[in-house]
Amino acid sequence: VLLAAYVGYLGLGAVVLQALERPAEVQAAQNLLREHWELLANYTCLRGPALQRLIEGIIQAYKSGITLQGNTTSLGRWDYSGSFFFSISAITTIGYGNLSPSTAVGRIFCIVFALFGIPLNLVLLNEIGQLMLLGVQHCARRLEELFHWQNKASFLMKTCALVTGLLLFLLLPPLLFCDKEGWSYEEGFYYSFITLSTIGFGDYVIGMNPDRTYPSWYKNVISLWILFGMAWLALVIKFCINILE
């Protein structure tokens, strides 16, 4: 029964996503094809195979974090802050996919680094989560002693912890992303949940727009937000698991 419910839930998600996203995909493909033929028609000196190679080169360069800016190219994804952020995305298993090692030595190091880093990250997240839980329980006991509440104190503190976490980790960070990344609030909220849940599609990643200047503290603050936000969301997911079980 559980397996049937699981497969049914996946099937339902597939049906809904196909209905929502397929028309946009078809429209984007038609627009790309139309622009391709318009470019060849307007610039007769271009040849189809040469244009295709240029497009493939641009796509590969963009995946590597290199973009054209006039007569120069923008670098910076593999500077120290970018490498540090990649390290976090690796050991937290977020894995955005927008940045990955391109050398054989880098890939081997990434394997060894993640092999020891993932358990270390899980231990740290578990400790942070336990401290959060102990803090909530301590506050609940204090309320019980002061006001002689029993079940009310525990429920009140859990509600406060949930609301505080929602504000700190899901509702307020999108405002920062709106300011620094130029995203809409909906895009920032989407990025927040996809990141903290370690889904990490990679369609939205902070600090990667070459046309924007980011403050030096930005990625450091986001790294702390990821660490504590993942611990908080893990507690919420654990609570949901208990309900399902």
Side-chain angles (χ1 to χ4, degrees), residues 101-134:
S102 59
T103 63
V105 177
R107 289 168 181 159
I108 293 172
F109 173 77
C110 186
I111 292 171
V112 177
F113 181 75
L115 184 64
F116 293 96
I118 291 173
L120 177 63
N121 176 72
L122 291 175
V123 170
L124 178 61
L125 288 182
N126 183 62
E127 290 297 321
I128 293 175
Q130 291 301 318
L131 286 175
M132 289 179 176
L133 195 57
L134 287 174

Side-chain angles (χ1 to χ4, degrees), residues 83-101:
S83 301
F84 186 82
F85 195 71
F86 170 78
S87 299
I88 291 177
S89 70
I91 67 172
T92 55
T93 70
I94 294 173
Y96 289 114
N98 69 307
L99 188 62
S100 58

Side-chain angles (χ1 to χ4, degrees), residues 12-30:
L12 176 63
V15 169
V16 173
L17 286 170
Q18 182 183 21
L20 294 175
E21 298 296 330
R22 184 65 175 177
E25 181 188 38
V26 172
Q27 185 64 41
Q30 292 173 347

Side-chain angles (χ1 to χ4, degrees), residues 33-72:
L33 192 59
R34 185 181 67 253
E35 291 175 3
H36 173 79
W37 288 114
E38 286 179 355
L39 184 65
L40 289 176
N42 293 331
Y43 299 92
T44 54
C45 59
L46 292 175
R47 294 293 181 268
L51 179 60
Q52 186 66 29
R53 287 194 298 271
L54 175 62
I55 293 172
E56 291 173 355
I58 292 173
I59 293 173
Q60 186 60 41
Y62 181 77
K63 288 181 178 179
S64 302
I66 302 171
T67 56
L68 286 172
Q69 291 182 321
N71 294 325
T72 62

Side-chain angles (χ1 to χ4, degrees), residues 133-164:
L133 195 57
L134 287 174
V136 171
Q137 292 172 348
H138 176 72
C139 293
R141 284 195 299 269
R142 293 289 296 171
L143 285 177
E144 289 177 2
E145 294 171 0
L146 289 174
F147 300 101
H148 304 289
W149 293 342
Q150 293 182 353
N151 295 330
K152 289 182 179 179
S154 178
F155 176 76
L156 179 63
M157 287 311 304
K158 288 179 180 179
T159 303
C160 289
L162 178 63
V163 172
T164 303

